[in-house]
Structures are given as C-alpha cells and as structure tokens.
Amino acid sequence: MKTLNKHLKLLFLLFSFSTGDSSSAIRITRRRRLDRKKQQSERNVFQCFVFSPANAGESALINFFLGRPYLDSYSPIADVQYAVNVVELPGGIKKTLFLLEIPEDGVSKLLATKESLAPCDIAVFVYDSSNESSWKRATELLMDVASHGEDTGYEVPCLIVIAKDDLDSFPMAIQNSTRVSQDMGIEAPIPISSKLSDFNNIIRRIVNAAEHPYLSIPENEAGRSRKQYHRLIN
Ligand SMILES: Nc1nc2c(ncn2[C@@H]2O[C@H](COP(=O)(O)OP(=O)(O)OP(=O)(O)O)[C@@H](O)[C@H]2O)c(=O)[nH]1
Ligand SMILES: *[C@@H]1O[C@H](CO)[C@@H](O)[C@H](O)[C@H]1NC(C)=O
Ligand SMILES: *[C@@H]1O[C@H](CO)[C@@H](O)[C@H](O)[C@H]1NC(C)=O
Ligand SMILES: [Mg+2]
C-alpha cells in the first residue's frame, strides 16, 4: 500500500506536468467536475485506475496496452503497476492514457481516503469470465467505488471488462453482468480475450468513456433516467 501511495503521488505529479497545470489537486478536480457538467472532457491526458480480483487477466491487458506479447503465465511479482501510452483516436486525435493497477488488497485503504479518486478519470473493473468468484469480487469492488463516489462527491465513470472471453463462462455470467451494468446505468460489459488478441477496441473505449464521464458514472434511479434521456436526444 505504501508503494501504491507513492505511485499515486507520482502519477499526480506527472499529470500536473503533462497538462502544464502546476496547481493543486483541487483545481484539477474542479476541472473534472466542470467536464462532467459539460458532458465532454477536452483534456489530453487521462488516468485510468484498473481494479481486479487476483488472476483476472489484468496484467495481460496492461501488457497489450504496452505493446507486449501475450504470455500464458504472468507473475504478480513482475506486475507492471502503472503504464502510459499514447492512444490514437479516429480522426488522428492523440490522447495520453495512464493505466494504474490497483492491487485488490489496497482497495479498502485507498477508499478510506476521501480524495483518493480525485486523480481518476475512469475506473475499469476486470474479471475472469470463467470464474464466478472473480465476478462477485469485481462487482463488490465496483459497488465500493460507486458508493465512495456518492459519499465523497468524487464520482468516477466506470467500465466493466470481461477478460478471458475465450474460456467457457460460468452460468448466468452474461445475464448477471449485463443486469448489473444496466442497474448502475453504465455501459454494457466489454468482453476481451488477451489470449486470442481480441481486444474489442478496449483502449479507445476507455478513453472514450473518460472523455464522456457523464455517461458512465454509476447512478441512482433519477440519474439513470436523466442519462437515458440524454442518450436518446444525442
Ligand atoms: N485463456 C486465457 N487466459 C488468460 C487470458 N488473459 C490472461 N490469462 C491467463 O490468466 C492468468 C492470470 O493472468 P494475469 O494477466 O496475470 O492476471 P492478473 O489479474 O494480473 O493477476 P494478478 O496480478 O495475480 O492479480 C495467466 O496465467 C494468464 O496467462 C485470456 O485472455 N485467456
Ligand atoms: C478465481 O478468482 C479468485 C478471485 O476472486 C481468485 O482468488 C482465484 O485464484 C481464481 N481462480 C482461478 C482458477 O483463476
Ligand atoms: C445471478 O443472478 C441470480 C438472480 O439474481 C442470482 O441468484 C445468482 O446468484 C447470480 N449469480 C452470480 C454469479 O452473480
Ligand atoms: Mg497482475
């Protein structure tokens, strides 16, 4: 957890430099809130926190992001804790994306601090499609982040990623994860298979969700119908 705190601080610093914004966390956060009101963020640098239960396939995703080949064995010890790359969007627009791995055992400590999600533009929850406890744990993490957002005002857009889509999924997997995303008013879960190099445009979709935070922030019922209305009129 000490290392996680260090990484968060470092990311925060890098973020301030890369945006030419040497101001405090407060200003960055205020700008994020403004982005949400405008429903569109024009920032060039986004930070993604990646949450996942153990063995979910998170490292395989981060390795793909870094342009590295898929391995049949990843070691948690050799895990990349944060990664950065330039993402080219349709139309040639380039955005810088940071991925920060949040180890499962660090989540409760992370969420114990009110401002911990202030530097987070998008939270991604990865679970293993073949592993029911992976799904259950990932849902808990999503709920924890969502209620942390409601309690503190640091609400973040969330995406669910179903990893290892090449494996047989457990019963009710698709139905239940679709229902959870609908209930929370977020995008449908995105299946990927690192093994088959089938990434379903995941990196661009992460950037896209960060650019349109309003559409992916988990909400209560009133917020959901408002959101549906905006989807319809856009
Ligand atoms: N079949 C299949 N296996 C995968 C896929 N992605 C990862 N794996 C395997 O699943 C295991 C765990 O993958 P990792 O990427 O290390 O998962 P992780 O979430 O980083 O795991 P920890 O760091 O231990 O929490 C490894 O043996 C991978 O080779 C996939 O798309 N399909
Ligand atoms: C299933 O997921 C849990 C995490 O919730 C993990 O501890 C366990 O190792 C996983 N099992 C397999 C076979 O990957
Ligand atoms: C899926 O949903 C059903 C009905 O709500 C529930 O009984 C079951 O426990 C869920 N399974 C998982 C893996 O979430
Ligand atoms: Mg890993």
Side-chain angles (χ1 to χ4, degrees), residues 52-63 70-77 79 101 103-104 126 128 130 162-167 192-199:
S52 80
N55 218 38
E58 173 190 39
S59 294
L61 172 61
I62 293 181
N63 274 272
Y70 172 80
L71 301 171
D72 264 323
S73 64
Y74 287 95
S75 152
I77 295 156
D79 266 358
E101 183 187 330
E104 195 190 340
V126 183
D128 171 349
S130 68
I162 312 178
K164 311 191 194 179
D165 193 43
D166 53 287
L167 299 178
I192 63 165
S193 167
S194 303
K195 186 168 191 157
L196 303 180
S197 290
D198 189 352
F199 287 99

Side-chain angles (χ1 to χ4, degrees), residues 77-126:
I77 295 156
D79 266 358
V80 175
Q81 279 153 324
Y82 60 87
V84 59
N85 212 339
V86 174
V87 182
E88 191 163 338
L89 302 177
I93 300 155
K94 287 180 179 160
K95 303 281 178 181
T96 301
L97 180 66
F98 284 90
L99 293 188
L100 174 69
E101 183 187 330
I102 309 294
E104 195 190 340
D105 59 0
V107 174
S108 51
K109 187 125 185 253
L110 178 80
L111 297 184
T113 310
K114 183 175 181 255
E115 285 85 14
S116 57
L117 294 185
C120 175
D121 294 299
I122 168 92
V124 168
F125 299 83
V126 183

Side-chain angles (χ1 to χ4, degrees), residues 173-192:
I174 308 288
Q175 294 92 322
N176 285 24
S177 59
T178 304
R179 189 168 40 79
V180 166
S181 63
Q182 279 171 355
D183 286 353
M184 300 189 94
I186 63 176
E187 206 183 305
I190 304 167
I192 63 165

